[in-house]
Structure formats: C-alpha cells, structure tokens
Amino acid sequence: MKKVVLFSIVAVAMLFTACNPVQPNFEGVLMYNYGRNGVQDFSIVTGTQGILGPGTELYQVPMYEQTADPTQVTITAKDVGVFTVDPSFTYEAIRGKGIDIVFNYKHTGFDYNMDNLENMILNPIVINAFREEARNFTTDSLMNNLNKFESRVQERLRSEFETKFFKLNSLTSGLTPPTSMAQAIESRNNQKQMAEQVKNELEVARMQKEKAQIDRKSTRLNSSH
C-alpha cells in the first residue's frame, strides 16, 4: 500500500514538473506532428500545456521590446566616400504573429531569447538597408543630411520588419565619417572661426576709427568756442 501511495505521489510530482506554462508577455505557439503539415500544425496557446507528447513542442515568443546591436560595418556613398555605421535598434514581435515567427524562424533555434534570430535575420536586414541607402547620397550630402539619411533607412526598415512579423520602434546609425573627411571638416570649421574672428576684429577697428574721428571733431568744435 505504501509503495502505491509513494508511486502516486511521484507520478503527481512528475506530472506537475512536466507542465509547460506559457509565460506572461509571451505568445505561446504549440507545434504538433513535428510540423510536418506546415502552418496547420501550429497553434496559439495560453496557460499550462501539460505533458507534451512526441513531435509536440511549445515555443514562446517574447512580446516585449527587444534591443539589438549589430556589428559595426563600413558603408560607401555613391562617390565612394567610406563611412562607418554602428547601428542599434529596438523592436518587438507583432502580437498575433507568433505562429508565423515560429514557423519561419524556428530553424534559428530561438526560444525565449531572440539573439539568434537577430543575428541571422534582422541584423543583416538593417546593415543592408544602411549600405543601399548610402549609395543615394554623395559624401558631402550624407554628412549634411544625416537626419534625412537615417529617416530614409528607418522608413524602409519599418516596412521590411513588418514583412518579417516585427515592429521597428527606434533606430540609430552611429555614423562616423572617414578620418580624412573629419579632419577636413575640422579644418574648415577652424577656418570659419578664424574668418569670423578677423571679421569681428575689423569691425571693432572700424568702430574705434569712427569714434576717434568723432572725438577729434568734438575737440575741434570745443576749442573753437
């Protein structure tokens, strides 16, 4: 009798430990039959799923905002000016698209953690967008229209992310000009500052000269009285 009770306790304990709860703020996707029949073998689920049989697997897609940091790369303007971009972006899965995400990207090995999916799917899309959009700008125009460049990349990626079942929330380029150009810009800024300083000095000298002339006239008038 004691053995039966002990076995029952162990069985109940195994049953509870084998449960598979869908975590809060995750979208649960249950795969049946090893997914052999395509999308129809996947369904959105909530709550605890209990023991999963052979060919059945529970995936959990996070529905909260994620932050990604692709590797720094070089991009080239249409006149062959070379820049460095070190982008970062935030994104989140579109709620209700868990089945599409799991069906299309389960080969990345993601579950709970999106790092593999970012590295294999999203980061290359971001890098490619920066590279292709940079070819629409000359070196000077890219430097002078950085906000326009980033906006074009961001709008492009918003559409591309949606086709991948994600929403792009924010994007920064971390764009850095080539060393030679940075030095040229610094030199040009220094020249502008020097020119402005000389202009101010000339203006002060002109005003002092006019004041001296007025003072001399005033002295002559006072001495004539």
Side-chain angles (χ1 to χ4, degrees), residues 113-124:
N113 190 310
M114 305 290 277
D115 288 350
N116 286 348
L117 192 150
E118 289 169 12
N119 292 331
M120 297 174 66
I121 307 298
L122 300 181
N123 289 352

mmCIF file with all atom_site columns, all heavy atoms in Angstrom, residues 113-124:
data_model
loop_
_atom_site.group_PDB
_atom_site.id
_atom_site.type_symbol
_atom_site.label_atom_id
_atom_site.label_alt_id
_atom_site.label_comp_id
_atom_site.label_asym_id
_atom_site.label_entity_id
_atom_site.label_seq_id
_atom_site.pdbx_PDB_ins_code
_atom_site.Cartn_x
_atom_site.Cartn_y
_atom_site.Cartn_z
_atom_site.occupancy
_atom_site.B_iso_or_equiv
_atom_site.pdbx_formal_charge
_atom_site.auth_seq_id
_atom_site.auth_comp_id
_atom_site.auth_asym_id
_atom_site.auth_atom_id
_atom_site.pdbx_PDB_model_num
ATOM 1  N N   . ASN A 1 113 ? 14.793 33.623 -25.935 1.00 0.00 ? 113 ASN A N   1
ATOM 2  C CA  . ASN A 1 113 ? 15.870 34.547 -26.278 1.00 0.00 ? 113 ASN A CA  1
ATOM 3  C C   . ASN A 1 113 ? 15.908 34.760 -27.790 1.00 0.00 ? 113 ASN A C   1
ATOM 4  O O   . ASN A 1 113 ? 15.909 33.811 -28.561 1.00 0.00 ? 113 ASN A O   1
ATOM 5  C CB  . ASN A 1 113 ? 17.217 33.975 -25.799 1.00 0.00 ? 113 ASN A CB  1
ATOM 6  C CG  . ASN A 1 113 ? 18.347 34.972 -25.912 1.00 0.00 ? 113 ASN A CG  1
ATOM 7  O OD1 . ASN A 1 113 ? 18.529 35.582 -26.945 1.00 0.00 ? 113 ASN A OD1 1
ATOM 8  N ND2 . ASN A 1 113 ? 19.100 35.112 -24.843 1.00 0.00 ? 113 ASN A ND2 1
ATOM 9  N N   . MET A 1 114 ? 15.961 36.041 -28.210 1.00 0.00 ? 114 MET A N   1
ATOM 10 C CA  . MET A 1 114 ? 15.880 36.356 -29.636 1.00 0.00 ? 114 MET A CA  1
ATOM 11 C C   . MET A 1 114 ? 17.245 36.587 -30.279 1.00 0.00 ? 114 MET A C   1
ATOM 12 O O   . MET A 1 114 ? 17.322 37.006 -31.437 1.00 0.00 ? 114 MET A O   1
ATOM 13 C CB  . MET A 1 114 ? 15.008 37.610 -29.829 1.00 0.00 ? 114 MET A CB  1
ATOM 14 C CG  . MET A 1 114 ? 13.628 37.508 -29.228 1.00 0.00 ? 114 MET A CG  1
ATOM 15 S SD  . MET A 1 114 ? 12.573 36.342 -30.127 1.00 0.00 ? 114 MET A SD  1
ATOM 16 C CE  . MET A 1 114 ? 11.995 37.387 -31.461 1.00 0.00 ? 114 MET A CE  1
ATOM 17 N N   . ASP A 1 115 ? 18.339 36.360 -29.575 1.00 0.00 ? 115 ASP A N   1
ATOM 18 C CA  . ASP A 1 115 ? 19.668 36.685 -30.088 1.00 0.00 ? 115 ASP A CA  1
ATOM 19 C C   . ASP A 1 115 ? 19.957 36.006 -31.424 1.00 0.00 ? 115 ASP A C   1
ATOM 20 O O   . ASP A 1 115 ? 20.454 36.637 -32.362 1.00 0.00 ? 115 ASP A O   1
ATOM 21 C CB  . ASP A 1 115 ? 20.749 36.295 -29.071 1.00 0.00 ? 115 ASP A CB  1
ATOM 22 C CG  . ASP A 1 115 ? 20.764 37.220 -27.867 1.00 0.00 ? 115 ASP A CG  1
ATOM 23 O OD1 . ASP A 1 115 ? 20.065 38.258 -27.913 1.00 0.00 ? 115 ASP A OD1 1
ATOM 24 O OD2 . ASP A 1 115 ? 21.472 36.923 -26.890 1.00 0.00 ? 115 ASP A OD2 1
ATOM 25 N N   . ASN A 1 116 ? 19.676 34.713 -31.533 1.00 0.00 ? 116 ASN A N   1
ATOM 26 C CA  . ASN A 1 116 ? 19.962 34.002 -32.777 1.00 0.00 ? 116 ASN A CA  1
ATOM 27 C C   . ASN A 1 116 ? 19.142 34.547 -33.933 1.00 0.00 ? 116 ASN A C   1
ATOM 28 O O   . ASN A 1 116 ? 19.647 34.710 -35.053 1.00 0.00 ? 116 ASN A O   1
ATOM 29 C CB  . ASN A 1 116 ? 19.679 32.506 -32.615 1.00 0.00 ? 116 ASN A CB  1
ATOM 30 C CG  . ASN A 1 116 ? 20.731 31.805 -31.787 1.00 0.00 ? 116 ASN A CG  1
ATOM 31 O OD1 . ASN A 1 116 ? 21.785 32.360 -31.515 1.00 0.00 ? 116 ASN A OD1 1
ATOM 32 N ND2 . ASN A 1 116 ? 20.441 30.590 -31.371 1.00 0.00 ? 116 ASN A ND2 1
ATOM 33 N N   . LEU A 1 117 ? 17.877 34.845 -33.675 1.00 0.00 ? 117 LEU A N   1
ATOM 34 C CA  . LEU A 1 117 ? 17.013 35.375 -34.718 1.00 0.00 ? 117 LEU A CA  1
ATOM 35 C C   . LEU A 1 117 ? 17.517 36.750 -35.170 1.00 0.00 ? 117 LEU A C   1
ATOM 36 O O   . LEU A 1 117 ? 17.520 37.055 -36.366 1.00 0.00 ? 117 LEU A O   1
ATOM 37 C CB  . LEU A 1 117 ? 15.570 35.477 -34.210 1.00 0.00 ? 117 LEU A CB  1
ATOM 38 C CG  . LEU A 1 117 ? 14.488 35.738 -35.257 1.00 0.00 ? 117 LEU A CG  1
ATOM 39 C CD1 . LEU A 1 117 ? 13.167 35.109 -34.809 1.00 0.00 ? 117 LEU A CD1 1
ATOM 40 C CD2 . LEU A 1 117 ? 14.270 37.221 -35.516 1.00 0.00 ? 117 LEU A CD2 1
ATOM 41 N N   . GLU A 1 118 ? 17.957 37.574 -34.220 1.00 0.00 ? 118 GLU A N   1
ATOM 42 C CA  . GLU A 1 118 ? 18.521 38.887 -34.568 1.00 0.00 ? 118 GLU A CA  1
ATOM 43 C C   . GLU A 1 118 ? 19.746 38.717 -35.466 1.00 0.00 ? 118 GLU A C   1
ATOM 44 O O   . GLU A 1 118 ? 19.858 39.360 -36.518 1.00 0.00 ? 118 GLU A O   1
ATOM 45 C CB  . GLU A 1 118 ? 18.910 39.650 -33.301 1.00 0.00 ? 118 GLU A CB  1
ATOM 46 C CG  . GLU A 1 118 ? 17.730 40.142 -32.479 1.00 0.00 ? 118 GLU A CG  1
ATOM 47 C CD  . GLU A 1 118 ? 18.171 40.658 -31.121 1.00 0.00 ? 118 GLU A CD  1
ATOM 48 O OE1 . GLU A 1 118 ? 19.390 40.835 -30.913 1.00 0.00 ? 118 GLU A OE1 1
ATOM 49 O OE2 . GLU A 1 118 ? 17.304 40.892 -30.267 1.00 0.00 ? 118 GLU A OE2 1
ATOM 50 N N   . ASN A 1 119 ? 20.668 37.867 -35.040 1.00 0.00 ? 119 ASN A N   1
ATOM 51 C CA  . ASN A 1 119 ? 21.926 37.709 -35.771 1.00 0.00 ? 119 ASN A CA  1
ATOM 52 C C   . ASN A 1 119 ? 21.736 37.132 -37.171 1.00 0.00 ? 119 ASN A C   1
ATOM 53 O O   . ASN A 1 119 ? 22.434 37.511 -38.118 1.00 0.00 ? 119 ASN A O   1
ATOM 54 C CB  . ASN A 1 119 ? 22.891 36.822 -34.979 1.00 0.00 ? 119 ASN A CB  1
ATOM 55 C CG  . ASN A 1 119 ? 23.369 37.479 -33.698 1.00 0.00 ? 119 ASN A CG  1
ATOM 56 O OD1 . ASN A 1 119 ? 23.451 38.705 -33.616 1.00 0.00 ? 119 ASN A OD1 1
ATOM 57 N ND2 . ASN A 1 119 ? 23.677 36.671 -32.695 1.00 0.00 ? 119 ASN A ND2 1
ATOM 58 N N   . MET A 1 120 ? 20.775 36.227 -37.312 1.00 0.00 ? 120 MET A N   1
ATOM 59 C CA  . MET A 1 120 ? 20.591 35.550 -38.590 1.00 0.00 ? 120 MET A CA  1
ATOM 60 C C   . MET A 1 120 ? 19.589 36.239 -39.516 1.00 0.00 ? 120 MET A C   1
ATOM 61 O O   . MET A 1 120 ? 19.706 36.135 -40.742 1.00 0.00 ? 120 MET A O   1
ATOM 62 C CB  . MET A 1 120 ? 20.146 34.104 -38.342 1.00 0.00 ? 120 MET A CB  1
ATOM 63 C CG  . MET A 1 120 ? 21.164 33.257 -37.598 1.00 0.00 ? 120 MET A CG  1
ATOM 64 S SD  . MET A 1 120 ? 20.549 31.599 -37.170 1.00 0.00 ? 120 MET A SD  1
ATOM 65 C CE  . MET A 1 120 ? 20.373 30.872 -38.803 1.00 0.00 ? 120 MET A CE  1
ATOM 66 N N   . ILE A 1 121 ? 18.608 36.962 -38.954 1.00 0.00 ? 121 ILE A N   1
ATOM 67 C CA  . ILE A 1 121 ? 17.528 37.525 -39.774 1.00 0.00 ? 121 ILE A CA  1
ATOM 68 C C   . ILE A 1 121 ? 17.503 39.049 -39.759 1.00 0.00 ? 121 ILE A C   1
ATOM 69 O O   . ILE A 1 121 ? 17.594 39.690 -40.809 1.00 0.00 ? 121 ILE A O   1
ATOM 70 C CB  . ILE A 1 121 ? 16.154 36.994 -39.306 1.00 0.00 ? 121 ILE A CB  1
ATOM 71 C CG1 . ILE A 1 121 ? 16.149 35.452 -39.249 1.00 0.00 ? 121 ILE A CG1 1
ATOM 72 C CG2 . ILE A 1 121 ? 15.053 37.532 -40.212 1.00 0.00 ? 121 ILE A CG2 1
ATOM 73 C CD1 . ILE A 1 121 ? 16.375 34.776 -40.569 1.00 0.00 ? 121 ILE A CD1 1
ATOM 74 N N   . LEU A 1 122 ? 17.380 39.655 -38.588 1.00 0.00 ? 122 LEU A N   1
ATOM 75 C CA  . LEU A 1 122 ? 17.123 41.093 -38.504 1.00 0.00 ? 122 LEU A CA  1
ATOM 76 C C   . LEU A 1 122 ? 18.366 41.955 -38.716 1.00 0.00 ? 122 LEU A C   1
ATOM 77 O O   . LEU A 1 122 ? 18.328 42.949 -39.458 1.00 0.00 ? 122 LEU A O   1
ATOM 78 C CB  . LEU A 1 122 ? 16.465 41.425 -37.158 1.00 0.00 ? 122 LEU A CB  1
ATOM 79 C CG  . LEU A 1 122 ? 15.120 40.736 -36.882 1.00 0.00 ? 122 LEU A CG  1
ATOM 80 C CD1 . LEU A 1 122 ? 14.572 41.169 -35.536 1.00 0.00 ? 122 LEU A CD1 1
ATOM 81 C CD2 . LEU A 1 122 ? 14.125 41.045 -37.995 1.00 0.00 ? 122 LEU A CD2 1
ATOM 82 N N   . ASN A 1 123 ? 19.472 41.603 -38.057 1.00 0.00 ? 123 ASN A N   1
ATOM 83 C CA  . ASN A 1 123 ? 20.682 42.424 -38.196 1.00 0.00 ? 123 ASN A CA  1
ATOM 84 C C   . ASN A 1 123 ? 21.148 42.547 -39.646 1.00 0.00 ? 123 ASN A C   1
ATOM 85 O O   . ASN A 1 123 ? 21.498 43.647 -40.090 1.00 0.00 ? 123 ASN A O   1
ATOM 86 C CB  . ASN A 1 123 ? 21.811 41.867 -37.321 1.00 0.00 ? 123 ASN A CB  1
ATOM 87 C CG  . ASN A 1 123 ? 21.551 42.079 -35.844 1.00 0.00 ? 123 ASN A CG  1
ATOM 88 O OD1 . ASN A 1 123 ? 20.607 42.768 -35.466 1.00 0.00 ? 123 ASN A OD1 1
ATOM 89 N ND2 . ASN A 1 123 ? 22.377 41.501 -34.995 1.00 0.00 ? 123 ASN A ND2 1
ATOM 90 N N   . PRO A 1 124 ? 21.178 41.469 -40.431 1.00 0.00 ? 124 PRO A N   1
ATOM 91 C CA  . PRO A 1 124 ? 21.577 41.615 -41.841 1.00 0.00 ? 124 PRO A CA  1
ATOM 92 C C   . PRO A 1 124 ? 20.662 42.544 -42.630 1.00 0.00 ? 124 PRO A C   1
ATOM 93 O O   . PRO A 1 124 ? 21.119 43.258 -43.521 1.00 0.00 ? 124 PRO A O   1
ATOM 94 C CB  . PRO A 1 124 ? 21.505 40.178 -42.373 1.00 0.00 ? 124 PRO A CB  1
ATOM 95 C CG  . PRO A 1 124 ? 21.731 39.315 -41.170 1.00 0.00 ? 124 PRO A CG  1
ATOM 96 C CD  . PRO A 1 124 ? 21.032 40.036 -40.050 1.00 0.00 ? 124 PRO A CD  1
#
